[in-house]
Amino acid sequence: EEIEDACRKISNEVEQLGETAGPVTVFPLYSSLPPAQQQRIFEQAPAGRAGGPPGRKIIVSTNIAETSLTIDGIVYVIDPGFAKQKVYNPRIRVESLLVSPISRASAHQRAGRAGRTRPGKCFRLYTEQSFHKDLQEQTYPEILRSNLGSVVLQLKKLGIDDLVHFDFMDPPAPETLMRALELLNYLGALDDEGELTTVGALMAEFPLDPQLSKMVVASPQFGCSNEILSIAALLSVPQIFARPRESARAADEAKAALAHVDGDHLTLLNAYHAWKRQGEDGEWAWKNFMNQRALKSADAVREQLKRLCARLGVQLVSNDFKNRDYYVNIRKAVLNGYFMQVAHVERSGHYLTAKDNQAVYLHPSTVIESARKPEWVLYHEFVLTTRNYIRTVIAVEGDWIVDLAPHYYDLSNFPAGEARRALEKLYQRKKKGGGR
């Protein structure tokens, strides 16, 4: 959105300059941009007017263009000195993209984009003193700013039990390791002694985040493993829905036609099924503002997961589509993996994450109508932009939470608040035998 906004502002500025500036084309570049639009950055700059200033090509990019990319004709690079980096906060168990200063190594890489095919210059929007004093020499290794759930699970699978003294090239913070062990224990992958369980050994075979692999492994008991494989694959690739700024309304209408009232995971599933029914037609995907490359990637990931399930003895089953619990069971299966990522609506209208009490809002891209506001929602990711957003969201029932994850929603260590009061009522009802 910021990239598109910058492109629009540059175009408006150039228009205001009128005849004093040559013709300019402005191209955005970011990872979720459809491939056809990404390719446009290689187009020639527009020809200048006779006797007037030359034409220019301007590319506004994320750090996707920082390395391994040579664009013919780039003469000037403007480096603002910042990038969005994935950062994991173990205290609130949230992985988010934060705007952070780049390293000196990244600054050199950015400067290297200019002058590849002809002499060029790099303009840095920060002082030389800041370059030497404020910027790190190298970018922090990803292991120091990531959720280590998958890493710990793989080390446990390899028989490495003493994680604290393991010879990491860049040792992560002990708190991050403890959070990873806690996550795996709650998911049932590790027992209370930290040993790998039967479920954990099965989860470790899947090349997925632990929560996704738990969702897949547990799905046969809900009779929906075929659908969960599709959802796991779709959550493992870039966003399949495109929303070009110039066609935002049409893109929203196309997405609404496939939307499911209970949320985004089911909308992704509907979109994937519709694409398969159309014979994986790229033209149909383009007309419906869907990313054909992301859909193809999801399909390939699903095939890989399907082969793994067959090898590991995970049953591939589906409920009858006409069964009224078809979508209910899918939501329960997703909750089985993501019960730690649940938020409860407050009287003020925003949501609070369970246990951590972080105030969050439904992301504008969600298909859940803001007027509806389900009492409990499960979210796939936490996005920190202008405010705390939860993205890729489905509605879940409080009864399912206390049935599927009573060990996590234990009232003896649950913070006070509306979520706790709601849970107390649910546990009382369950005790009386009235749970759904």
Side-chain angles (χ1 to χ4, degrees):
E1 211 166 283
E2 290 156 335
I3 296 281
E4 297 282 3
D5 197 36
C7 289
R8 197 174 72 252
K9 284 176 178 172
I10 291 168
S11 298
N12 290 343
E13 196 74 28
V14 170
E15 276 179 32
Q16 286 174 20
L17 291 171
E19 296 293 315
T20 58
V24 170
T25 51
V26 187
F27 299 120
L29 180 61
Y30 48 91
S31 60
S32 59
L33 194 67
Q37 287 178 260
Q38 287 186 16
Q39 288 298 316
R40 295 194 66 198
I41 65 168
F42 297 107
E43 291 176 11
Q44 292 291 319
R49 300 184 194 94
R56 292 187 186 275
K57 172 172 73 174
I58 299 173
I59 298 165
V60 184
S61 175
T62 62
N63 55 358
I64 189 177
E66 197 173 281
T67 55
S68 312
L69 186 64
T70 298
I71 304 168
D72 193 34
I74 293 294
V75 182
Y76 304 108
V77 167
I78 298 171
D79 172 16
F82 291 96
K84 278 189 176 175
Q85 284 191 334
K86 185 176 73 172
V87 177
Y88 178 65
N89 184 337
R91 291 192 182 161
I92 55 171
R93 288 187 289 269
V94 161
E95 210 164 44
S96 50
L97 284 172
L98 291 180
V99 176
S100 318
I102 60 169
S103 64
R104 291 201 288 277
S106 289
H108 288 310
Q109 284 287 354
R110 291 180 178 194
R113 296 309 97 203
R116 303 292 278 191
T117 56
R118 57 194 278 197
K121 285 184 180 177
C122 176
F123 295 93
R124 291 177 173 149
L125 306 185
Y126 44 95
T127 63
E128 188 175 353
Q129 184 184 17
S130 180
F131 175 83
H132 290 294
K133 286 190 173 179
D134 299 337
L135 302 190
Q136 297 283 335
E137 180 60 39
Q138 297 288 340
T139 305
Y140 278 114
E142 195 162 344
I143 196 169
L144 300 182
R145 47 190 175 85
S146 298
N147 181 350
L148 298 182
S150 294
V151 174
V152 170
L153 187 58
Q154 289 306 315
L155 288 173
K156 287 288 184 183
K157 179 189 167 188
L158 294 169
I160 297 159
D161 291 320
D162 189 1
L163 298 174
V164 175
H165 298 105
F166 181 72
D167 192 18
F168 290 101
M169 287 178 71
D170 295 286
E175 188 178 3
T176 311
L177 274 175
M178 291 306 296
R179 282 296 193 187
L181 289 164
E182 183 185 51
L183 166 74
L184 294 171
N185 178 244
Y186 277 129
L187 290 173
L190 300 179
D191 61 22
D192 290 343
E193 278 71 52
E195 299 297 322
L196 200 63
T197 63
T198 309
V199 170
L202 202 55
M203 286 166 60
E205 295 293 325
F206 288 89
L208 300 168
D209 283 339
Q211 287 156 295
L212 276 178
S213 55
K214 173 65 188 291
M215 186 174 90
V216 169
V217 166
S219 59
Q221 72 189 72
F222 299 97
C224 58
S225 45
N226 279 312
E227 290 76 11
I228 289 298
L229 277 195
S230 302
I231 290 171
L234 290 159
L235 293 173
S236 303
V237 300
Q239 182 57 252
I240 64 166
F241 291 109
R243 193 176 185 265
R245 187 177 285 276
E246 66 277 7
S247 314
R249 179 174 287 184
D252 289 343
E253 286 170 1
K255 185 177 179 181
L258 296 164
H260 190 284
V261 67
D262 286 321
D264 301 311
H265 297 67
L266 304 179
T267 300
L268 287 171
L269 184 65
N270 284 352
Y272 177 72
H273 283 167
W275 177 70
K276 292 297 276 186
R277 281 197 302 272
Q278 295 294 329
E280 303 176 15
D281 181 17
E283 185 69 22
W284 180 86
W286 181 78
K287 283 179 181 172
N288 286 275
F289 297 91
M290 287 160 74
N291 186 334
Q292 174 75 355
R293 183 188 283 182
L295 285 163
K296 283 280 189 188
S297 295
D299 205 38
V301 170
R302 190 187 187 284
E303 281 304 308
Q304 182 189 358
L305 296 178
K306 187 178 170 184
R307 288 193 298 271
L308 271 171
C309 286
R311 178 167 69 79
L312 298 168
V314 177
Q315 284 184 300
L316 292 177
V317 289
S318 288
N319 288 306
D320 183 355
F321 184 68
K322 292 175 184 172
N323 185 331
R324 68 191 183 109
D325 287 336
Y326 176 80
Y327 285 113
V328 166
N329 284 336
I330 294 170
R331 285 154 64 203
K332 284 182 178 178
V334 175
L335 179 62
N336 210 318
Y338 282 90
F339 55 82
M340 293 173 77
Q341 291 181 200
V342 166
H344 181 264
V345 74
E346 300 296 292
R347 286 174 196 166
S348 56
H350 68 274
Y351 283 87
L352 275 188
T353 57
K355 275 202 173 179
D356 301 314
N357 281 347
Q358 284 277 307
V360 292
Y361 298 84
L362 297 179
H363 194 270
S365 66
T366 185
V367 298
I368 293 179
E369 294 173 14
S370 55
R372 182 180 161 225
K373 287 254 172 60
E375 183 183 5
W376 297 93
V377 292
L378 173 155
Y379 58 93
H380 181 66
E381 57 183 333
F382 185 109
V383 183
L384 195 60
T385 53
T386 48
R387 61 206 311 198
N388 295 342
Y389 284 116
I390 47 176
R391 188 163 64 188
T392 314
V393 176
I394 49 168
V396 291
E397 297 289 341
D399 295 304
W400 307 346
I401 292 169
V402 297
D403 283 342
L404 295 173
H407 58 299
Y408 185 70
Y409 291 91
D410 178 5
L411 294 178
S412 64
N413 62 358
F414 205 89
E418 287 183 40
R420 183 190 170 94
R421 287 192 287 277
L423 285 169
E424 284 169 348
K425 288 177 187 172
L426 289 166
Y427 277 118
Q428 284 168 8
R429 193 165 74 194
K430 188 180 177 186
K431 206 172 178 181
K432 292 174 185 172
R436 276 180 284 174

